[in-house]
Amino acid sequence: MNPTKVVRENVVKLTDLPNVGKTVAADFAKIGITRPEQLRGEDPYDLYVRFCKACGEKQDPCMLDVLMSVTDFMNGADAKVWWDYTAERKVRYGEKIRV
């Protein structure tokens, strides 16, 4: 969902989360996540590795930005567009992104 349209009190399904549409929601299901509350306390990098393994190939690093956005949101941060996390991802993970 577009982060500007997210209302925290109305988040019930994965597609209610910022930056999550049907495709990303389906990818979450591949790793056993079917409800937004399951993302509380999750590490975005660990989720990224799980996504890569479930899909059988390395995912675009922008997926890690999406995962950072949804885990931050579920841990209380404001909803932001995924690309707001790109610079932070590069600093935080740098060349670590290997699967």
Side-chain angles (χ1 to χ4, degrees):
M1 175 179 288
N2 182 315
T4 62
K5 296 181 179 181
V6 173
V7 177
R8 185 176 300 279
E9 296 76 27
N10 297 340
V11 173
V12 209
K13 56 188 188 285
L14 293 171
T15 53
D16 295 332
L17 291 168
N19 308 302
V20 176
K22 291 178 184 177
T23 302
V24 174
D27 288 341
F28 272 123
K30 291 178 188 174
I31 62 169
I33 294 178
T34 57
R35 297 179 327 275
E37 59 270 15
Q38 290 175 278
L39 293 164
R40 282 192 199 107
E42 286 284 345
D43 179 84
Y45 186 76
D46 290 342
L47 290 170
Y48 175 78
V49 170
R50 289 167 58 191
F51 266 52
C52 293
K53 288 179 180 176
C55 294
E57 62 186 7
K58 183 178 177 182
Q59 299 298 294
D60 189 293
C62 294
M63 177 53 76
L64 182 49
D65 299 344
V66 171
L67 296 169
M68 291 170 70
S69 77
V70 297
T71 54
D72 268 6
F73 177 78
M74 287 308 297
N75 290 321
D78 291 335
K80 299 181 199 171
V81 292
W82 63 265
W83 55 87
D84 280 357
Y85 288 85
T86 303
E88 179 185 347
R89 176 205 4 115
K90 290 178 179 180
V91 169
R92 191 168 166 186
Y93 300 106
E95 297 300 314
K96 180 181 177 181
I97 302 175
R98 290 178 173 57
V99 179

